[in-house]
Amino acid sequence: MKLRFRKAVLPALIAVSMVSVAGCGAASQSSSNSASSGSNSSANSNSTGSSSNSSSSSSSGSSNQTLVLYSAQGYDQAMANAFTKATGIKVKLVDASTGPIIAKIEGEKSNPHWDVAWFDGDSTMQSLDNQGLLLKNWTPSDMSNYNSLGKSLVPSDHAYFPGGVTAAAAIGVNTKLVKPSQYPKDWTDLLSPQWKGQVAMNDPAVSGPTFPFVAGMMQLKGTQGGEQYFTQLKANGLKIFRTNGVTLKALLKGQVKAVMIQDSALTSAKAKGDPIHIVYPTSGVFTLPDVVAIDKNAPDMAAAKKFVEFVLSHQGQSVMLNPKNGGGDSYFNPVITGEKPNPQRQQSGINWVKVNPIAAAQNETQIQTWFHDHITQ
């Protein structure tokens, strides 16, 4: 499972490199890989099913097309292979963590080399939209595949599209240390004396999914209420670690009894047999969608549009949902009608709270600076 995070930066620079990045994977491949042709695809057995019309058949001249994909998803290579098999379009994959991808995209403003960008965090993608870098007002032919949650996550200008969604944070408890009768039900339960010194979370300046969690809490409770909540957590002995991996290790070693981290990381650990119970707080958990977008000046616009439609197709979703392809990144909640999450993942009974990506992007520097000065230190 790949772990994504970005290095901490000075608060004044935070807005330059957005932090809403996926927390459950890190790049393990070289920064520029060409997907093999369909006959050599390593994902052939995982890419069965019906795809959208525009992505299931090869267009004339497709053998001469090459899609350049900048991605931070664990299943991106498998998707590249399956897309090539379905369309005949070759894929050049630049596989990295989100921070370097954003820096690369911004560095190529005047001369873009990419067609499609794909990573977790609509706040981050919104920052690229704000800079006028993304194709707007285009509708994929299979957009009707979205369920109600998926539709709610599509921006009004259609600058990017969700492929799935995880919770920016849920509560994970160590079942060897906590009895079922003691499980928390909501975020505020962690403020009780029972949890003093026993709760941990990630640093939002380092762990990408943690910023949408903090921003979501500020949205849910209001800025003052959100700040009060984290201040009370700190007074109750909150521990801050850098990333999901470190925080999970602290939970499993008994350094703490509960953690607040991205739910896909908790689900992946639980699937491996770790003693974890996952709680989705009743007041809500905050959406962290994976999002895919097209460069407004994409060198191969036709191929880019076909790839986005492939992501939203049932064929593409079957590849993404297979942990053999995506590791921890495959434990997401589908936003495509008819698709089911990995059986290890809870889908029903979750109160989703959409984090407003525009507000989160606008307020990031302020939120990050406050958290650093009052909670992390």
Side-chain angles (χ1 to χ4, degrees):
M1 182 174 68
K2 299 192 290 187
L3 178 66
R4 302 188 201 293
F5 60 91
R6 66 173 183 78
K7 296 180 179 179
V9 295
L10 293 175
L13 297 178
I14 290 173
V16 177
S17 179
M18 302 298 292
V19 301
S20 301
V21 300
C24 58
S28 61
Q29 303 170 20
S30 65
S31 62
S32 180
N33 295 327
S34 295
S36 61
S37 63
S39 60
N40 295 324
S41 172
S42 63
N44 288 353
S45 62
N46 300 316
S47 59
T48 58
S50 60
S51 64
S52 66
N53 291 337
S54 66
S55 63
S56 61
S57 61
S58 300
S59 62
S60 60
S62 62
S63 60
N64 296 323
Q65 293 179 273
T66 299
L67 174 81
V68 179
L69 172 63
Y70 288 6
S71 176
Q73 300 295 353
Y75 35 69
D76 47 26
Q77 184 65 69
M79 282 291 282
N81 292 342
F83 177 71
T84 297
K85 181 184 178 183
T87 65
I89 300 171
K90 297 180 177 65
V91 178
K92 179 180 179 182
L93 172 62
V94 177
D95 182 38
S97 58
T98 304
I101 285 177
I102 296 301
K104 189 172 178 61
I105 289 174
E106 292 180 338
E108 296 176 6
K109 283 182 180 180
S110 60
N111 184 27
H113 303 303
W114 61 283
D115 295 302
V116 173
W118 195 13
F119 48 76
D120 280 10
D122 49 358
S123 297
T124 305
M125 195 67 85
Q126 183 63 47
S127 71
L128 298 180
D129 188 15
N130 292 346
Q131 296 176 61
L133 301 179
L134 306 181
L135 177 68
K136 300 181 182 183
N137 303 315
W138 169 72
T139 300
S141 64
D142 52 359
M143 187 170 166
S144 60
N145 287 348
Y146 275 131
N147 59 25
S148 58
L149 177 59
K151 292 176 183 177
S152 74
L153 296 169
V154 178
S156 59
D157 65 359
H158 287 195
Y160 50 86
F161 302 91
V165 67
T166 59
I171 300 172
V173 298
N174 187 323
T175 58
K176 291 184 177 180
L177 304 176
V178 182
K179 298 178 181 178
S181 60
Q182 298 175 319
Y183 292 164
K185 296 180 180 179
D186 204 2
W187 302 111
T188 53
D189 292 345
L190 299 178
L191 300 177
S192 69
Q194 170 193 343
W195 299 102
K196 187 172 182 63
Q198 297 299 323
V199 178
M201 64 177 286
N202 301 341
D203 184 346
V206 181
S207 170
T210 308
F211 172 70
F213 167 47
V214 175
M217 196 64 75
M218 302 290 188
Q219 175 181 304
L220 181 67
K221 295 178 175 292
T223 300
Q224 184 176 355
E227 290 178 351
Q228 182 181 27
Y229 175 70
F230 287 110
T231 300
Q232 290 175 321
L233 275 176
K234 183 177 182 180
N236 205 35
L238 175 68
K239 297 179 181 179
I240 304 290
F241 297 106
R242 290 178 60 83
T243 60
N244 286 340
V246 182
T247 306
L248 270 174
K249 187 176 181 179
L251 177 68
L252 297 175
K253 286 194 169 185
Q255 294 175 253
V256 294
K257 295 180 180 179
V259 297
M260 302 181 293
I261 61 172
Q262 187 180 15
D263 69 339
S264 55
L266 293 170
T267 303
S268 179
K270 183 177 179 180
K272 294 176 182 177
D274 289 331
I276 292 175
H277 175 73
I278 304 172
V279 176
Y280 288 91
T282 55
S283 61
V285 294
F286 311 109
T287 54
L288 180 68
D290 81 70
V291 283
V292 60
I294 298 173
D295 176 12
K296 74 172 184 180
N297 296 313
D300 196 329
M301 184 66 72
K305 290 179 177 179
K306 286 184 178 181
F307 185 83
V308 172
E309 290 171 337
F310 189 74
V311 170
L312 305 187
S313 73
H314 295 289
Q315 181 178 2
Q317 290 284 307
S318 69
V319 177
M320 295 162 60
L321 285 163
N322 190 334
K324 293 181 179 179
N325 296 327
D329 282 1
S330 291
Y331 293 101
F332 62 87
N333 240 44
V335 295
I336 299 299
T337 301
E339 296 296 336
K340 296 181 179 180
N342 185 284
Q344 296 287 346
R345 181 185 174 84
Q346 180 177 334
Q347 185 177 32
S348 62
I350 301 176
N351 179 16
W352 291 104
V353 176
K354 179 186 175 183
V355 179
N356 185 328
I358 296 176
Q362 291 175 340
N363 298 326
E364 185 185 11
T365 299
Q366 176 185 341
I367 293 172
Q368 289 278 25
T369 300
W370 179 87
F371 197 95
H372 176 268
D373 293 345
H374 294 85
I375 307 301
T376 305
Q377 288 192 337

